[in-house]
Amino acid sequence: MQGSPRIGLALAAGAPEGAVYEIGALRALDEAIDGLDLNDLFIYVGVSAGAIIGANLANNLTTAQMCRGIVSHEPGEHPFVPETFFTPAFDELKRGGKAVPRLLFESVRRWLTNPRDITLVESLTRLTQALPVGVFDNEPIREYVHKVFNVKGRTDDFRQLGKRLVVVASDLDSGQAVRFGEPGLDHIPISLAVAASSALPGLYPPVEIEGRHYVDGVLLKTMHTSVALEAGAELVICVNPIVPIDTRGTVEAGLMSRGKLFDHGLPAVLSQTFRTLLHSRLETGMASYAAKFKDADVVLFKPRPDDYEMFFTNIFSFSERRAVCEYSYNAVRRDLLERYDELAPIFARHGLTLRKDVLEEKRNLWFGVFRERRERALTSTNPVARRLDDALGRLERLLDGAS
């Protein structure tokens, strides 16, 4: 193969816990594969939470920085706070409340005009138009991404990245996939595109951009790996946090008193249904790539069906966010080692070396990511940096002791 290898990265949706999973997984890949520069790839394709992580990498945030953002607040950085993703959509509630009197009047008038053709209950169904189209507000997501990319050396403009980043959303009125970042749509701010790609109907309201409304790109495809392949990527590394859980071992694991998701109520039932649909669609898509893109390689990393940590986690908990990141880091390291004979030749075809010696080492995620920060501080003669190094060292020892 001549020239630089055309390596693409496709990241799927998965809400905040999915984003944390992807960060840990990418950190494992970053450490174990020589020649892989996750901040300088041929193309990045992201959907929803994956769009945030992909945009971070394209903006030169390292995997170590993103890991530290989960457990600490570096100077000049913005911590990954899940509350950003779950701010109530008060504007939607106000909009619906204001519409109720008008809709009620229209409903009663319609019934009085046609009492034989329609019942009062049927007429009152018009009131459903007052229901909020989203429970949570996605403006804090846009603001968060904009702040992260407003730091010197980063950009909220696709055209100034110097790299190919595609954020996929769905046009609500046409049902078609829209690729923000490609010519004709590269003038849209990255932060606004990410908010649109993350607008899962029912949870977040559609995002209006230039008179059209956009929702989560996962509605059309789980990961949109084909975007990278069609662009000419020769190797696409895919990370998908969304898999259905197999509950048969949850009783033994102490996570459920009975092995039934039904006992956990509507959120668990909806989550399992959503995960099953997306996973089935992903498997169909992955199978088609081998025939359609014969000269390209696609490597997928995902949780196992019995990885209960990913299903039952409370992402609002600091300790559980840290645990999910650790879990995905260790799981992908284990996966790389178990699949070494399969994956090493694939990576080698694209100028990459899968380091078996690194995978066989016993490594602590937090030791590595904080060591990188300390090493940068030690190269500086600034006394503030020295004090920061001391503080980070103490935090590292604390985290390592809690493992």
Side-chain angles (χ1 to χ4, degrees), residues 20-33:
V20 173
Y21 174 91
E22 289 175 343
I23 290 170
L26 290 168
R27 180 61 186 173
L29 296 173
D30 202 2
E31 288 183 347
I33 305 176

Side-chain angles (χ1 to χ4, degrees), residues 43 45 158-159 164-167 178-188 227-228 230-231:
I43 186 172
V45 181
F158 284 102
R159 297 165 297 185
R164 188 166 184 179
L165 168 67
V166 179
V167 173
V178 176
R179 302 176 181 181
F180 292 107
E182 294 201 337
L185 288 172
D186 54 357
H187 64 287
I188 304 300
V227 174
E230 290 167 2

Side-chain angles (χ1 to χ4, degrees), residues 9-12 19 22-23 26 38-41 43-61 66 145 149 158 161 163-167 190 194:
L9 179 67
L11 300 174
E22 289 175 343
I23 290 170
L26 290 168
L38 289 172
N39 295 119
D40 189 23
L41 298 179
I43 186 172
Y44 302 83
V45 181
V47 183
S48 194
I52 298 176
I53 306 304
N56 283 348
L57 291 170
N59 252 304
N60 294 319
L61 273 81
M66 287 190 282
V145 176
F149 295 164
F158 284 102
L161 271 177
K163 300 167 189 174
R164 188 166 184 179
L165 168 67
V166 179
V167 173
I190 298 172
V194 166

Side-chain angles (χ1 to χ4, degrees), residues 167-283:
V167 173
V168 184
S170 305
D171 186 312
L172 181 63
D173 295 307
S174 70
Q176 300 297 311
V178 176
R179 302 176 181 181
F180 292 107
E182 294 201 337
L185 288 172
D186 54 357
H187 64 287
I188 304 300
I190 298 172
S191 56
L192 188 57
V194 166
S197 179
S198 306
L200 185 63
L203 290 182
Y204 298 100
V207 174
E208 184 175 356
I209 301 176
E210 297 183 341
R212 299 194 69 84
H213 290 89
Y214 298 93
V215 294
D216 201 321
V218 79
L219 299 183
L220 296 172
K221 289 184 180 180
T222 304
M223 197 150 40
H224 293 271
T225 306
S226 58
V227 174
L229 293 168
E230 290 167 2
E234 297 161 329
L235 167 66
V236 182
I237 297 173
C238 306
V239 182
N240 172 43
I242 307 174
V243 296
I245 184 177
D246 183 346
T247 64
R248 286 175 291 186
T250 54
V251 176
E252 291 81 357
L255 295 170
M256 300 174 70
S257 57
R258 295 162 50 196
K260 294 182 180 179
L261 286 176
F262 180 82
D263 298 338
H264 284 247
L266 180 62
V269 172
L270 289 178
S271 177
Q272 179 75 333
T273 303
F274 184 66
R275 288 165 177 266
T276 302
L277 289 172
L278 293 185
H279 188 254
S280 175
R281 189 173 62 184
L282 173 65
E283 289 189 325

Side-chain angles (χ1 to χ4, degrees), residues 2 132 144 155 157 164 170 189 201 297 318 325:
Q2 304 198 352
Y144 168 80
T155 180
D157 190 330
R164 188 166 184 179
S170 305
D297 292 307
F318 174 91
C325 194

